[in-house]
Amino acid sequence: MEISVSIIVPIYNIEPYIKRALVSVYTQNYKDIEIIIVDDCGKDNSISVARSVAKQYPERKTTFVKHDYNKGLSVARNSGMAVAHGDYIFFLDGDDELPQTAISNLLMVARSNGMPDIVVGLIRNTQGTETTTVADYVDRDFSSFPTLLEGNNDIVLEMFDYSAKNNIPPTAQNKLYRSDFLKKHSLYFLPNIIHEDEKFLIDISCYINTIGFLNKVTYIRYINANSIITSLSNTRSMENWLEIIRNSYSSIEFSRPLLRISYLMKEIENKYLELPKEATNVALKAKRNLYQLSIMALRKRSFCLFLSPLFLLALPFRVSHFSYVNRRLKEYYSWKKILKYT
């Protein structure tokens, strides 16, 4: 069976890199690929370069989507998803590139494992003249993973367990997403935030039941000084984490809610030490929302609805992330009368 893939490439002010990215897509050794280029109304000549590259490969199906005004990366990806026809969807940032066999290698895993919800490979990280696979969240080795992981509980553990070095990277790129899986559960990117990948991952974790792993590099990521994530301020980053938390309350209805919460707590606390003074109030709001979310989750997990949150704090958590949330909740009850959350 031939499997079709839609590769979505948002374009916004990436003129120096877009040719490299698109050529790497058009020269894939897998043929049944639809390339969707989303024009997010940049101010340079990126889209002109993209059209020029597309004309060189008339045998490939290319769809151009144009926004009326700049709407951001989340909406650009959503716009691409809305017109995609492929069995799987793949996201490529316009300043990165793909190895020539990326899609065919990922699809080998998909075919041999019954078309999983998601298939993920490894990312090679490149900065300047340095090329390495060692760079914070892109440092992964799936050799210890099974080719296919089944069951929502186990997959969620691999997504959010901070104690695991090789947990699934929280990036939207470099993953094949089965189109009917995304459509069935109305999964899309939350607009107007900068940590859209992490929010997308949290939403996916509520429904995913199968994921395939490929222990080969299928994505080359370039770190550019002017990229959004590289240049964003700590204050803006924390404000966006707060928005993600507020939009994640429904996730406690699904499996392992406290694991998701502990993941968010650690994301906040890892950044909290580096925050300038003007961002600390935003961080405190974020922590308060997490504490409230934790209490709701604990209540839902309890066999007795009449137990108070204070009593629940005494429950013995056998898993490390449960203990982590437990400690943070104790801290909250000890200090909430002193700290003034604004």
Side-chain angles (χ1 to χ4, degrees):
M1 179 185 71
E2 196 71 8
I3 303 172
S4 58
V5 177
S6 297
I7 300 180
I8 297 172
V9 188
I11 294 183
Y12 178 76
N13 290 348
I14 47 174
E15 185 178 353
Y17 318 110
I18 188 58
K19 181 177 180 179
R20 177 185 66 198
L22 290 179
V23 168
S24 78
V25 174
Y26 283 111
T27 57
Q28 287 292 298
N29 68 344
Y30 190 76
K31 299 306 178 186
D32 197 357
I33 292 176
E34 171 191 35
I35 298 99
I36 300 173
I37 298 171
V38 184
D39 179 4
D40 199 26
C41 301
K43 298 179 181 179
D44 63 5
N45 294 315
S46 296
I47 198 66
S48 297
V49 174
R51 291 187 180 278
S52 176
V53 173
K55 287 179 181 178
Q56 298 174 34
Y57 301 90
E59 73 281 5
R60 295 283 198 180
K61 181 181 179 181
T62 304
T63 300
F64 283 88
V65 178
K66 180 172 174 55
H67 286 167
D68 296 330
Y69 57 92
N70 174 241
K71 298 182 179 182
L73 179 59
S74 290
V75 178
R77 287 173 173 168
N78 292 340
S79 296
M81 291 166 65
V83 300
H85 296 97
D87 299 308
Y88 276 98
I89 288 175
F90 186 96
F91 298 105
L92 170 67
D93 284 354
D95 52 357
D96 297 331
E97 67 175 315
L98 304 180
Q100 190 176 22
T101 59
I103 299 301
S104 60
N105 284 338
L106 288 168
L107 285 175
M108 279 195 295
V109 175
R111 281 197 190 92
S112 59
N113 291 282
M115 300 282 284
D117 297 332
I118 292 177
V119 181
V120 58
L122 298 178
I123 296 176
R124 177 184 297 155
N125 194 64
T126 301
Q127 185 169 14
T129 58
E130 272 188 45
T131 300
T132 176
T133 53
V134 181
D136 61 293
Y137 65 80
V138 296
D139 177 17
R140 294 293 185 272
D141 177 6
F142 292 149
S143 59
S144 62
F145 278 47
T147 306
L148 180 70
L149 186 61
E150 298 180 88
N152 184 265
N153 274 333
D154 290 338
I155 295 173
V156 170
L157 183 62
E158 296 299 341
M159 281 182 167
F160 299 113
D161 187 1
Y162 251 91
S163 65
K165 178 184 177 183
N166 288 319
N167 62 340
I168 300 166
T171 53
Q173 312 96 307
N174 196 37
K175 294 179 178 71
L176 287 178
Y177 302 89
R178 212 178 67 237
S179 298
D180 59 355
F181 165 73
L182 297 179
K183 291 175 182 176
K184 178 181 178 181
H185 301 293
S186 300
L187 295 167
Y188 60 91
F189 291 90
L190 184 67
N192 304 318
I193 63 170
I194 49 180
H195 295 296
E196 63 282 322
D197 288 13
E198 286 87 346
K199 175 65 173 99
F200 191 56
L201 184 73
I202 290 171
D203 291 344
I204 282 175
S205 74
C206 296
Y207 305 101
I208 187 170
N209 279 303
T210 53
I211 184 168
F213 296 97
L214 176 66
N215 197 39
K216 290 182 180 179
V217 172
T218 51
Y219 194 97
I220 302 171
R221 175 178 177 260
Y222 291 86
I223 299 178
N224 302 308
N226 295 325
S227 69
I228 295 175
I229 295 299
T230 305
S231 60
L232 62 87
S233 71
N234 284 323
T235 304
R236 186 182 173 199
S237 175
M238 192 57 65
E239 287 171 346
N240 278 264
W241 275 112
L242 176 57
E243 185 66 21
I244 289 170
I245 292 163
R246 287 171 173 167
N247 277 275
S248 298
Y249 270 52
S250 62
S251 70
I252 66 170
E253 302 289 343
F254 298 88
S255 65
R256 295 185 182 271
L258 292 179
L259 184 55
R260 293 182 179 85
I261 293 166
S262 69
Y263 167 82
L264 289 167
M265 279 185 174
K266 288 180 181 179
E267 286 288 346
I268 297 297
E269 293 190 348
N270 286 345
K271 295 171 176 61
Y272 185 79
L273 296 176
E274 304 172 359
L275 289 177
K277 185 176 181 181
E278 63 270 18
T280 54
N281 282 343
V282 181
L284 290 175
K285 285 183 181 179
K287 291 179 74 174
R288 178 185 63 184
N289 276 261
L290 281 171
Y291 292 136
Q292 292 170 344
L293 189 58
S294 301
I295 293 168
M296 290 171 63
L298 284 166
R299 281 174 172 163
K300 285 182 176 291
R301 300 285 285 186
S302 172
F303 289 104
C304 179
L305 297 177
F306 300 102
L307 294 179
S308 71
L310 287 171
F311 181 84
L312 288 170
L313 292 176
L315 290 176
F317 296 118
R318 297 180 181 179
V319 185
S320 60
H321 59 272
F322 280 18
S323 299
Y324 181 85
V325 174
N326 185 31
R327 290 196 304 274
R328 290 298 174 262
L329 283 169
K330 285 181 179 178
E331 175 189 284
Y332 171 62
Y333 279 109
S334 299
W335 291 94
K336 70 174 184 177
K337 293 182 181 179
I338 299 173
L339 291 173
K340 293 182 180 179
Y341 293 102
T342 58

